[in-house]
Amino acid sequence: MNQQTVIVLDFGGQYNQLIVRRIRDLGVYSELWPYSTPIEKIKETAPVGIIFTGGPNSVFEANSLAVSSQILELGIPILGICYGAQLIAHLAGGKVQTASAREYGKQSITYSPSPLFENIPSDNVCWMSHTDYVAEVPAGYKVIASTKTCPCAAFANADKKIYGVQFHPEVVHTANGLDILKNFLFNVCEAKGDWTPANFVNSMVEQIRAKVGDKKVLCAMSGGVDSAVAATLVYKAVGKQLTCMLVDHGLMRKNEADQVVRVFRDGLGMNLIKIDAEERFLSRLKGVTDPETKRKIIGEEFIRVFEEEGRKIGKVNFLVQGTIYPDVIESGFGDSAVIKSHHNVGGLPSVIDFDEIIEPLRDLFKDEVRRVGFELGLSKEIVMRQPFPGPGLGIRIIGDVTKEKLDILREADAIFREEIAANHLDEEIWQYFAVLTDMRSVGVMGDMRTYDYTLALRAVTSIDAMTADWARIPYPVLERVSNRIVNEVRSINRIVYDITSKPPATIEWE
Ligand code: XMP
């Protein structure tokens, strides 16, 4: 990309991704880089600004995360946040000390006139979370904000365009936090604000065209937002040179596979091959009840189908993947325990004969992917679609999976989704779906005894699916959903609502 960039150097703070997102939301492209990135690489990239994040360290610790003080001499504007501010003070010869008590939470703060605080009320509120503090600013720097307990809540060397703030402008509790970041970007860095969906689409289409030339591209579409947007972007760039494959494993929601075909093949004119693989998936799943075994079978079968279909297509030059930025950061910088073996199309590269992967969304957060989707003209139906797991309804049926149960679940789930949308709850709820349990209980319908399945409704609010809370759906909506399902769907005579958060529960039931 040739747009202006702000590099956020990661010193391990908990809000680091948030800083990158805020910068991008303000229209400036930003990336999170490890603190240990060589200065040379930073110079080559020539960012318009650099941000040092907060972090759990103290600058006094022998193994504290640090950068070379040369970074202060590059002539590039810098904003240090919390630990990042202490680090600037430390590197530039100021004095950092450890307080006897931690300062935590909302604090009153007074800002002095500074390009960083332009158009912001001087008596204000900020969010603090620190024990160390800057006791003396380095030569050439001056204090530009203070709180009762922290006399140097912000400092600056305006000539060098280097700023440090002890508080966290990126969190919503800092009243004018976003304005401070905006001032840093536009007053201090003099950024142009060229990070827009339209610019992204134009420049990505050009890049893809240049890379692909007249060669062949293959994309596995799942019906999910990421693969849909990635495919559309590549289609815009190279048209019919792209072939998309959609494996219908029979575990999709009601009408889902048909919708993908309607939108992308019939509507946009894409070269889309739909593979009906319901029978082979169901026969392999027959009698299997263990959740992890189900997941493994579905994942393996996916790869097998692609392998066979890939052989028919023959050699392709490029394989498109819908990888997005959080996947990149997570695989590059951290580690997490495997609670469930998530399966996407990750195993594809090993079975398709191709030369290179194209990941057009690699730099984007989910909300940016959605904006790009709209920019490409995709409908709300596709772009705002809730996340759906690769193994599909296979992990929303407790116990063994059969066609009969899938059909029951599909109908019930469709009613739940219809009612959520009709009541305009779809934007505030992250994910909402039905789960068919393997429990049966006694009911009465008309004058008849019934002995049927219990269906569970799951709806959660979340930001990133790492943690979640159960959604407080209004009772009248739940009541209507319940009435409709027991009346319209056979074999269900009891409905329960899942009121557990994550943790301790997970979002999906298996
Ligand atoms: P859990 O159930 O672990 O789910 O709380 C967190 C989020 O991930 C989705 N999920 C999956 N997504 N492949 C996916 O692409 C999977 O195998 C998978 N399993 C769970 C889940 O729907 C929720 O959004």
Side-chain angles (χ1 to χ4, degrees):
M1 290 276 147
N2 46 9
Q3 77 273 22
Q4 295 186 327
T5 302
V6 166
I7 294 176
V8 176
L9 280 189
D10 184 0
F11 289 96
Q14 55 179 323
Y15 304 123
N16 298 351
Q17 276 206 39
L18 193 59
I19 301 173
V20 176
R21 299 179 73 135
R22 295 268 189 264
I23 305 291
R24 291 194 189 184
D25 285 346
L26 290 166
V28 180
Y29 182 64
S30 176
E31 284 185 6
L32 189 64
W33 285 19
Y35 74 95
S36 53
T37 305
I39 293 273
E40 286 312 313
K41 189 165 174 213
I42 295 177
K43 269 203 216 156
E44 266 166 40
T45 308
V48 289
I50 300 172
I51 293 182
F52 295 176
T53 73
N57 283 99
S58 165
V59 293
F60 308 115
E61 287 166 24
N63 57 352
S64 69
L65 313 183
V67 285
S68 152
S69 60
Q70 279 175 42
I71 201 165
L72 305 180
E73 310 303 329
L74 298 178
I76 300 170
I78 298 178
L79 172 66
I81 296 174
C82 195
Y83 173 79
Q86 295 156 14
L87 187 62
I88 291 175
H90 185 67
L91 292 175
K95 202 160 152 197
V96 177
Q97 284 186 344
T98 304
S100 51
R102 179 157 174 242
E103 186 184 25
Y104 183 83
K106 273 191 192 177
Q107 307 289 339
S108 300
I109 187 165
T110 309
Y111 298 131
S112 307
S114 158
L116 200 62
F117 303 135
E118 220 171 86
N119 297 322
I120 294 176
S122 57
D123 289 324
N124 219 307
V125 174
C126 71
W127 180 260
M128 288 284 194
S129 172
H130 68 116
T131 311
D132 285 3
Y133 63 99
V134 176
E136 262 175 47
V137 294
Y141 286 72
K142 74 182 203 200
V143 174
I144 55 169
S146 55
T147 71
K148 227 187 238 158
T149 46
C150 183
C152 177
F155 58 92
N157 182 329
D159 295 335
K160 287 183 129 174
K161 303 192 171 190
I162 298 181
Y163 294 80
V165 292
Q166 184 53 67
F167 57 91
H168 287 273
E170 72 278 21
V171 305
V172 290
H173 313 292
T174 295
N176 288 94
L178 211 53
D179 297 315
I180 293 174
L181 293 176
K182 200 169 174 181
N183 283 338
F184 176 68
L185 296 176
F186 299 105
N187 287 350
V188 180
C189 304
E190 299 178 47
K192 289 191 292 205
D194 57 1
W195 178 242
T196 62
N199 281 351
F200 172 82
V201 169
N202 291 337
S203 114
M204 194 41 82
V205 162
E206 257 173 50
Q207 283 182 51
I208 296 170
R209 259 184 214 147
K211 188 167 185 169
V212 170
D214 57 2
K215 299 196 173 129
K216 264 167 82 175
V217 193
L218 181 69
C219 177
M221 261 178 118
S222 64
V225 182
D226 302 340
S227 65
V229 173
T232 312
L233 203 49
V234 175
Y235 179 63
K236 191 173 158 99
V238 301
K240 299 275 188 191
Q241 284 162 255
L242 169 73
T243 302
C244 290
M245 279 205 284
L246 171 71
V247 175
D248 182 355
H249 49 18
L251 309 170
M252 292 201 185
R253 289 169 291 198
K254 192 176 174 184
N255 298 333
E256 196 157 33
D258 291 341
Q259 185 200 34
V260 173
V261 171
R262 183 165 45 76
V263 171
F264 295 95
R265 184 161 75 198
D266 307 343
L268 290 180
M270 266 188 209
N271 224 340
L272 172 71
I273 304 170
K274 176 166 160 277
I275 301 145
D276 290 313
E278 182 184 36
E279 259 170 48
R280 58 189 286 179
F281 275 85
L282 290 191
S283 76
R284 282 216 53 203
L285 285 170
K286 199 168 175 197
V288 181
T289 54
D290 175 61
E292 275 300 286
T293 314
K294 283 194 214 170
R295 280 175 172 272
K296 292 233 162 67
I297 289 175
I298 300 168
E300 274 168 27
E301 201 57 25
F302 242 116
I303 300 293
R304 229 168 265 167
V305 173
F306 274 111
E307 199 169 18
E308 288 166 23
E309 295 300 319
R311 247 184 252 133
K312 290 185 202 156
I313 293 180
K315 165 111 186 153
V316 292
N317 306 93
F318 299 95
L319 182 68
V320 181
Q321 300 233 287
T323 320
I324 68 171
Y325 196 51
D327 309 331
V328 176
I329 303 183
E330 269 159 36
S331 54
F333 291 61
D335 50 352
S336 53
V338 176
I339 307 291
K340 299 174 183 181
S341 51
H342 275 210
H343 122 83
N344 291 320
V345 282
L348 267 195
S350 59
V351 296
I352 300 279
D353 187 9
F354 73 103
D355 298 322
E356 224 182 301
I357 288 191
I358 300 184
E359 295 174 311
L361 310 178
R362 222 189 131 76
D363 293 331
L364 305 190
F365 286 109
K366 192 84 182 184
D367 49 336
E368 293 175 314
V369 172
R370 294 206 156 109
R371 268 179 253 152
V372 166
F374 283 128
E375 180 67 33
L376 289 165
L378 295 175
S379 68
K380 190 176 165 212
E381 240 185 328
I382 299 285
V383 172
M384 296 312 290
R385 178 169 270 197
Q386 50 170 330
F388 185 60
L393 301 182
I395 55 164
R396 291 181 181 170
I397 291 175
I398 310 302
D400 67 328
V401 179
T402 62
K403 170 102 168 90
E404 192 205 359
K405 287 184 186 170
L406 281 163
D407 287 339
I408 294 171
L409 179 57
R410 262 191 279 266
E411 289 306 317
D413 184 68
I415 292 173
F416 188 30
R417 289 189 291 132
E418 248 172 65
E419 289 300 326
I420 292 286
N423 288 282
H424 310 291
L425 295 169
D426 46 345
E427 275 171 31
E428 60 199 73
I429 302 179
W430 165 268
Q431 227 174 338
Y432 45 97
F433 53 87
V435 174
L436 189 65
T437 75
D438 58 351
M439 197 194 86
R440 287 174 188 238
S441 66
V442 175
V444 53
M445 212 171 205
D447 291 328
M448 300 290 284
R449 175 186 190 272
T450 56
Y451 186 61
D452 278 330
Y453 289 116
T454 297
L455 182 91
L457 301 174
R458 179 74 162 144
V460 296
T461 52
S462 177
I463 293 177
D464 52 12
M466 303 294 283
T467 59
D469 196 8
W470 56 278
R472 272 47 172 186
I473 296 179
Y475 284 170
V477 178
L478 285 175
E479 182 183 347
R480 192 171 153 75
V481 171
S482 165
N483 283 342
R484 277 196 60 192
I485 292 177
V486 285
N487 281 306
E488 294 174 36
V489 185
R490 70 197 152 85
S491 309
I492 294 174
N493 68 353
R494 191 176 296 275
I495 297 177
V496 296
Y497 187 50
D498 181 347
I499 51 167
T500 35
S501 60
K502 171 185 178 176
T506 51
I507 296 176
E508 303 288 349
W509 275 36
E510 288 198 333

